């Protein structure tokens, strides 16, 4: 064939990557044992599993099949290593992470080939994307280890972290999890995916090479049902970090509910790829290739739903089909291959099943004429048209090289179609109108949004999902908090000034001689108060039973019942409505109807919080007396609580326009906007300690960040919260932004935790109640923030206010904005 003929046909010649060094490495080390306490340890079972090359279907290696006993040994090693590693100076930890990054670069070619052999993805992807990003994560987090003492003062590591990673990005997912955990001073027990453990085992060698202290990193291979489940349930593991399917994530949430384990979940996705009619269609086509055929579509954030403006749909689909004809499917070690092998035979069967389901439901299938290899597990790039939004293939994550297309007419319809999914991991928006693109990006329910780009990642930019795509973030500063806790929480110390309601000394239970005589609430007698004894004996109190506060109105409880409120001596001092399931439903609906609050400017939200503080200050004596009445504490203590509540409102008013997102600058021409967004509708169950301060310490940050709320006040002392109705009404709080349902905490919060339209639940009650909330929240993977029965000193600003509260009230969306001609 002549040179001219080659130019005309543009046929690719073979460009194979030499696999011999990797194969020799495998042969020299088989069978692979577990890696515990920096030693190779044979599995307790004595059994080994076969690891397959998906491009050939042939066995690559024998890998240890760990079990619960092996997990026990690994956790014990990590626990022994934790005290020393957590106290190692940040600079020293930074040096270790830097060394890991350098060794990853030294072994880059071997790691890339191992990954391709074990996973089936093209060598170009492992060589040019995966392994460089692995090194980048360790470099980046070495920097955070160096800066931890100054930039994260007041925080400490969690302890032993169990990490469970998937098979689609075996080494990159390891880096995403191990790097921040080690940087922050935690120790790790890692379970690689059953199908793809080989690069993790090479990483174990790197750990030995750099001299990382024994027990800091432990790697236990095996089946999920043996190793993964034992790790999740182990009582001495402080956190579980999991990446995988939503169903497994849901099971982990249920298994860890009430255990006190911290949890971060990066789960499934069905990401929209939105194309407007002014987009550069040639760029769009390349974006589509990267979105869905990168790594054979085995990407949790794959742009698997192509949403195209109706007037350009035919033109774009035609271009996509032409490009699909040029995609090469074959040996992933060939550098000219675009699409490699599916990871396993089981995954290939599942892709085939869902494709058949799409045909049965009436979608039209198109595949290019190029053939797939007969050997191994391959599936061609696939395009579905004539897809309805409710079809299985439009709703279920296929996790393969299958693209479904739908059309829209207006931006509003595009947003509605994009958000018509239970997932919320990522999205991509294509338009030459940056105003339109950013407006649509802000309205998408997704943790990452790319503008005129897709599948961009960097260690400096957080990644994670909304909705049933999980919670927690990996990467960036926000990802560090997944491996930290406030130092006061870890120490278990409780400030001496905290005083439980039942613990108040007898001499503080009467309010006397403070200069506020005669200023009672409408003449209501305070239990044990000499000040009001004579007045109460002569004038009967005016009965006042607060209703519920829903949609900006005081409404009667659906149950028609009221509950008594008693003082510390057991005397009835008032009654409140007994809320029920229907009241919670109405409150959630009112909160959704008030979502415009999230669009209010930060300045406007700050002004409202300042107004609340102003109106509370005007009634300071009244609120202090109400606290004395409910708790029996001395007036001076009650007045201090009111003053602290006013100060807290001022703090969050100040934070409204200062707790902002950031601009990341990953190594590309462009920037990433890390935008803090409100979580949505948050259910809050308030603590019994400090009835006013605890209530406002939770309401204020959530409100400041633009959330709408359904709040259950302290059942023991709810009157401080119900007295706030008028304060809210006179402070320009929009109707429905704050809804208050009084009643028994546990049954009401259970309804909130189970409610599908509630995005998060904050619970400050018992350890058992915390577990029930986490368990119920698994239904739609809503975020939870619970205290596991540990009280806080709400007067202490370190425990009762600050960035921790603001982070819980927000979720971070990363919007990638490449620019330049």
């Amino acid at each position: 064939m002549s040179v001219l003929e080659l130019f005309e046909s543009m046929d690719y010649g073979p460009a194979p990557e030499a696999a011999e060094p990797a194969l020799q490495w495998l042969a020299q080390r088989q069978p692979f044992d577990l890696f515990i306490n920096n030693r190779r340890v044979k599995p307790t079972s004595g059994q080994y599993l076969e690891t397959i090359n998906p491009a050939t279907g042939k066995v690559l290696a024998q890998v240890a099949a760990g079990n619960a006993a092996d997990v026990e040994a690994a956790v014990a090693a990590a626990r022994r290593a934790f005290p020393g590693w957590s106290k190692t100076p940040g600079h020293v930890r930074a040096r270790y992470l830097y060394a890991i990054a350098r060794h990853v670069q030294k072994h880059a070619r071997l790691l890339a080939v191992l990954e391709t052999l074990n996973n089936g993805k093209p060598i170009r992807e492992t060589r040019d994307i995966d392994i460089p990003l692995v090194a980048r994560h360790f470099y980046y987090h070495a920097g955070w280890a160096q800066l931890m003492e100054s930039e994260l003062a007041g925080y400490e590591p969690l302890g032993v972290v169990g990490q469970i990673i998937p098979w689609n990005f075996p080494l990159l997912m390891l880096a995403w999890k191990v790097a921040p955990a080690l940087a922050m001073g935690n120790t790790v027990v890692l379970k690689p995916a059953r199908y793809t453990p080989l690069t993790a085992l090479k990483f174990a060698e790197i750990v030995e090479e750099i001299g990382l202290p024994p027990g800091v990193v432990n790697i236990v291979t095996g089946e999920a049902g043996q190793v993964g489940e034992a790790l999740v349930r182990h009582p001495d593991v402080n956190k579980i970090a999991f990446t995988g399917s939503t169903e497994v994530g849901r099971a982990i949430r249920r298994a860890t509910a009430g255990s006190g384990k911290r949890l971060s979940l990066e789960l499934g996705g069905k990401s929209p790829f939105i194309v407007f009619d002014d987009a550069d269609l040639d760029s769009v086509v390349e974006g589509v290739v990267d979105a869905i055929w990168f790594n054979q579509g085995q990407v949790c954030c794959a742009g698997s739903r192509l949403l195209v403006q109706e007037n350009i749909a035919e033109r774009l689909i035609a271009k996509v089909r032409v490009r699909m004809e040029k995609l090469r499917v074959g040996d992933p070690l060939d550098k000219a291959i675009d699409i490699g092998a599916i990871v396993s035979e089981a995954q290939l069967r599942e892709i085939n099943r869902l494709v058949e389901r799409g045909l049965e439901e009436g979608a039209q299938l198109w595949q290019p004429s190029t053939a797939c290899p007969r050997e191994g597990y391959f599936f061609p790039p696939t395009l579905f048209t004539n897809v309805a939004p409710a079809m299985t293939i439009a709703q279920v994550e296929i996790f393969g090289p299958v693209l479904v297309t739908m059309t829209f007419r207006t931006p509003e319809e595009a947003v509605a179609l994009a958000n018509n999914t239970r997932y919320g991991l990522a999205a991509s928006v294509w338009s030459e109108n940056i105003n339109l693109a950013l407006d649509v990006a802000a309205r998408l329910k997704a943790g990452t949004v790319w503008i005129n780009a897709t599948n961009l990642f960097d260690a400096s930019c957080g990644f994670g999902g909304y909705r049933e795509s999980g919670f927690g973030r990996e990467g960036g500063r926000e990802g560090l908090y997944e491996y930290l806790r406030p130092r006061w929480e870890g120490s278990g110390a409780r400030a001496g000034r905290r005083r439980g309601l039942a613990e108040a000394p007898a001499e503080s239970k009467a309010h006397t001689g403070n200069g506020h005589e005669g200023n009672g609430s409408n003449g209501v007698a305070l239990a044990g108060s000499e000040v009001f004894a004579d007045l109460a004996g002569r004038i009967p109190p005016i009965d006042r039973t607060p209703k519920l506060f829903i949609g900006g109105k005081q409404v009667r409880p659906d149950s028609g019942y009221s509950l008594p409120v008693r003082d510390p001596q057991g005397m009835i001092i008032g009654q409140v409505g007994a809320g029920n399931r229907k009241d919670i439903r109405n409150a959630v609906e009112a909160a959704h109807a008030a979502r415009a609050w999230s669009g209010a400017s930060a300045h406007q939200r700050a002004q409202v919080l300042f107004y609340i503080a102003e109106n509370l200050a005007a009634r300071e004596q009244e609120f202090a007396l109400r606290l004395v009445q409910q708790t029996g504490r001395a007036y001076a203590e009650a007045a201090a609580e009111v003053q602290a509540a006013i100060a807290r409102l001022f703090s969050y008013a100040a934070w409204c326009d200062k707790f902002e997102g950031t601009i990341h600058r990953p190594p590309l021409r462009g920037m990433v906007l890390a935008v803090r967004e409100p979580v949505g509708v948050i259910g809050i169950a308030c603590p019994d300690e400090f009835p006013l301060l605890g209530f406002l310490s939770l309401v204020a940050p959530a409100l400041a960040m633009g959330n709408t709320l359904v709040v259950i006040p302290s059942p023991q002392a709810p009157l401080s919260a119900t007295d706030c109705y008028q304060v809210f009404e006179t402070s320009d709080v929009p109707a429905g932004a704050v809804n208050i349902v009084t009643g028994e905490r546990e049954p009401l919060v259970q309804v909130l935790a189970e409610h599908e339209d509630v995005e998060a639940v904050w619970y400050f009650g018992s350890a058992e109640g915390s577990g029930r909330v986490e368990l119920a929240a698994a239904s739609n993977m809503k975020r939870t923030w619970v205290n596991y029965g540990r009280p806080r000193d709400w007067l202490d600003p370190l425990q009762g206010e600050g960035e921790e509260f603001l982070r819980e009230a927000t979720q971070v969306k990363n919007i990638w904005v490449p620019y330049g001609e």
Side-chain angles (χ1 to χ4, degrees), residues 133 163 229 231 255 348 373 411 523 557 571 641 691 700 773 786 804:
L133 269 176
Q163 300 181 325
E229 185 167 349
L231 196 55
L348 181 61
M571 294 178 59
E641 180 175 342
V773 165
V786 301
E804 178 187 10

Side-chain angles (χ1 to χ4, degrees), residues 653-734:
W655 273 113
C656 277
D657 56 2
K658 298 177 185 66
F659 191 68
E660 300 172 314
T662 56
I663 297 177
H664 302 304
R665 295 195 177 276
L668 87 162
R669 285 198 307 165
M671 59 185 176
V672 179
L673 307 177
V675 180
R676 292 194 178 276
E677 295 186 338
V679 175
V681 176
I682 300 180
I684 300 177
C686 297
D688 291 323
E689 313 98 297
F690 300 103
L692 177 65
L693 182 59
F695 169 76
L696 288 176
S697 293
L698 295 170
V699 167
L703 202 60
M705 294 297 102
N707 300 281
T708 56
L709 316 176
V710 178
V711 187
I712 303 167
S714 159
Q716 291 184 17
L719 300 179
S720 293
T722 61
D723 285 349
C724 287
Y725 293 176
Q726 292 177 336
V727 173
F728 292 147
E729 288 170 338
T730 56
S731 302
D732 295 342
V733 177

Side-chain angles (χ1 to χ4, degrees), residues 333-416:
L333 284 173
D334 187 337
K335 301 182 189 72
I337 285 299
D338 298 299
I339 299 177
I342 303 301
V343 73
S344 69
E345 187 176 13
Q347 181 63 19
L348 181 61
R349 285 198 302 269
E350 178 64 7
I351 294 169
N352 276 304
R353 183 187 73 81
L354 289 168
V355 167
E356 290 298 322
R357 183 68 177 271
L359 290 170
E360 292 168 3
E361 293 181 356
Q364 295 178 353
L365 178 145
W366 190 89
Q367 293 173 331
S369 57
T370 52
C372 288
R374 294 178 179 273
E375 185 182 47
Y377 314 131
F378 292 88
F379 195 88
T382 299
L383 173 68
F384 271 111
T385 54
N386 193 37
V387 176
M391 284 184 178
T392 301
I393 56 173
Q395 292 292 327
V396 173
E397 185 179 33
I398 298 174
F399 224 63
V402 181
L403 177 66
V404 303
T405 62
M406 292 170 276
T407 61
F408 62 87
R409 294 181 179 177
T410 65
E412 289 69 26
E413 188 179 349
V415 170

Side-chain angles (χ1 to χ4, degrees), residues 125-411:
E125 295 178 7
T126 58
R127 180 195 65 196
D128 299 340
I129 299 173
D130 291 21
I131 306 307
L133 269 176
V134 170
R136 163 73 174 151
H137 271 269
F138 283 103
Y139 279 130
Y140 176 79
H141 286 94
W144 274 118
Q146 178 76 24
L147 297 174
M148 179 181 175
E149 185 175 348
S150 61
E151 296 302 309
L152 295 161
Y155 285 88
E156 66 179 15
L158 294 172
V160 176
V161 178
Q163 300 181 325
I164 303 171
I165 58 175
W167 44 258
N168 56 341
F169 291 91
L171 191 60
L172 184 54
M173 291 296 100
L174 177 152
W176 277 28
K177 288 178 168 55
V178 170
L182 297 190
M184 295 298 100
N186 300 277
T187 55
V188 168
V189 178
L190 177 84
K191 184 215 170 292
R194 159 72 176 87
Y195 295 135
T196 55
L198 298 183
T199 47
L201 295 170
K202 175 58 187 172
F203 181 79
E205 285 193 359
I206 291 175
V207 166
E208 290 179 294
E209 288 172 5
I210 68 162
L212 196 69
V216 173
V217 171
N218 306 272
I219 298 174
V220 183
T221 55
E223 297 283 4
Q226 293 288 322
V227 178
E229 185 167 349
L231 196 55
V232 166
R233 296 186 181 278
H234 198 290
D236 212 20
V237 171
N238 301 99
K239 174 191 169 68
I240 294 293
F242 171 78
T243 296
S245 72
T246 295
E247 290 312 308
V248 175
R250 200 186 318 277
I252 291 173
R253 168 74 286 178
R254 288 173 174 149
T256 59
S259 66
K261 286 186 177 71
R262 289 276 292 275
L263 186 62
S264 55
L265 301 171
E266 196 257 282
L267 307 177
K270 194 71 176 176
S271 300
F273 188 107
I274 306 169
V275 184
F276 289 96
D277 59 6
D278 64 345
D280 177 352
L281 295 191
D282 291 329
S283 296
V284 167
V285 170
E286 294 309 309
V288 168
V289 171
D290 191 32
I292 186 60
W293 294 306
F294 170 62
N295 196 18
Q296 299 73 254
Q298 298 172 132
V299 183
C300 50
C301 56
S304 55
R305 291 187 296 146
L306 177 59
L307 312 181
V308 191
Q309 201 149 17
E310 191 174 76
N311 56 321
I312 61 164
E314 288 188 16
R315 193 151 47 102
L316 178 59
I317 295 302
K319 284 178 174 287
V320 169
R321 285 175 174 163
V322 169
R323 183 67 175 87
M324 290 174 69
E325 284 286 358
K326 301 294 185 182
L327 294 174
R328 303 186 74 221
V329 183
D331 179 6
L333 284 173
D334 187 337
K335 301 182 189 72
I337 285 299
D338 298 299
I339 299 177
I342 303 301
V343 73
S344 69
E345 187 176 13
Q347 181 63 19
L348 181 61
R349 285 198 302 269
E350 178 64 7
I351 294 169
N352 276 304
R353 183 187 73 81
L354 289 168
V355 167
E356 290 298 322
R357 183 68 177 271
L359 290 170
E360 292 168 3
E361 293 181 356
Q364 295 178 353
L365 178 145
W366 190 89
Q367 293 173 331
S369 57
T370 52
C372 288
R374 294 178 179 273
E375 185 182 47
Y377 314 131
F378 292 88
F379 195 88
T382 299
L383 173 68
F384 271 111
T385 54
N386 193 37
V387 176
M391 284 184 178
T392 301
I393 56 173
Q395 292 292 327
V396 173
E397 185 179 33
I398 298 174
F399 224 63
V402 181
L403 177 66
V404 303
T405 62
M406 292 170 276
T407 61
F408 62 87
R409 294 181 179 177
T410 65

